[in-house]
Amino acid sequence: MTRSRFDFRIKFDATREVFLMLVKPVHNDDGWTRHDAKEYEAYVVCASPYIFVVSIPVDEIPDGFLAIGAELPRGVQLTGLRFTGGKACFTFDFSDEELLLATPTIYRNWIATLIKEGYILDAFARQ
């Protein structure tokens, strides 16, 4: 059985003073053999829904990874995929709930307040 999925994680970059959405494509060949790419930084481009775009070099995506049909957390949608300059550019839409679930507990109240007040675009890295 093959299985592909995207993992999402949010961390705070104290040097740049912004939150980072990190995306990692993961592929399991047989349920036991796991092929991970490293984490890549996604940029926020829009709020409500929260749209993040990440570019991953094609040669660094795990062999056998299937982007269309890859497992995504509830509340996240893959809404775009394009190839340009040797990179695959993925666009993801996040619901409020999923954005909070990807956020470490220590930052969750902070992100919830930014969502409520409408300042979420200022909190994340932008391109």
Side-chain angles (χ1 to χ4, degrees):
M1 177 179 150
T2 62
R3 189 172 137 198
S4 299
R5 74 173 191 274
F6 287 98
D7 288 342
F8 300 94
R9 183 172 71 91
I10 292 175
K11 76 172 195 173
F12 186 72
D13 183 336
T15 305
R16 293 163 51 195
E17 297 182 345
V18 294
F19 284 99
L20 303 176
M21 172 65 74
L22 301 174
V23 180
K24 177 169 59 169
V26 177
H27 180 71
N28 289 350
D29 282 338
D30 52 17
W32 299 100
T33 308
R34 179 178 162 137
H35 305 280
D36 289 30
K38 66 179 189 175
E39 291 181 312
Y40 294 89
E41 185 177 321
Y43 295 95
V44 66
V45 294
C46 183
S48 194
Y50 307 101
I51 300 174
F52 289 86
V53 176
V54 62
S55 294
I56 301 175
V58 172
D59 60 350
E60 293 183 25
I61 295 173
D63 287 341
F65 184 81
L66 300 171
I68 304 300
E71 185 179 316
L72 293 166
R74 191 184 84 232
V76 178
Q77 294 180 329
L78 175 63
T79 56
L81 170 58
R82 63 183 163 77
F83 295 91
T84 180
K87 293 184 178 186
C89 300
F90 301 95
T91 304
F92 299 97
D93 289 11
F94 280 76
S95 66
D96 291 356
E97 178 184 350
E98 191 52 46
L99 190 60
L100 289 172
L101 288 175
T103 304
T105 308
I106 191 168
Y107 301 125
R108 207 165 283 157
N109 285 336
W110 191 1
I111 293 293
T113 301
L114 292 170
I115 289 171
K116 182 179 174 184
E117 299 298 324
Y119 294 112
I120 200 73
L121 287 179
D122 298 327
F124 280 90
R126 296 173 82 173
Q127 196 167 26

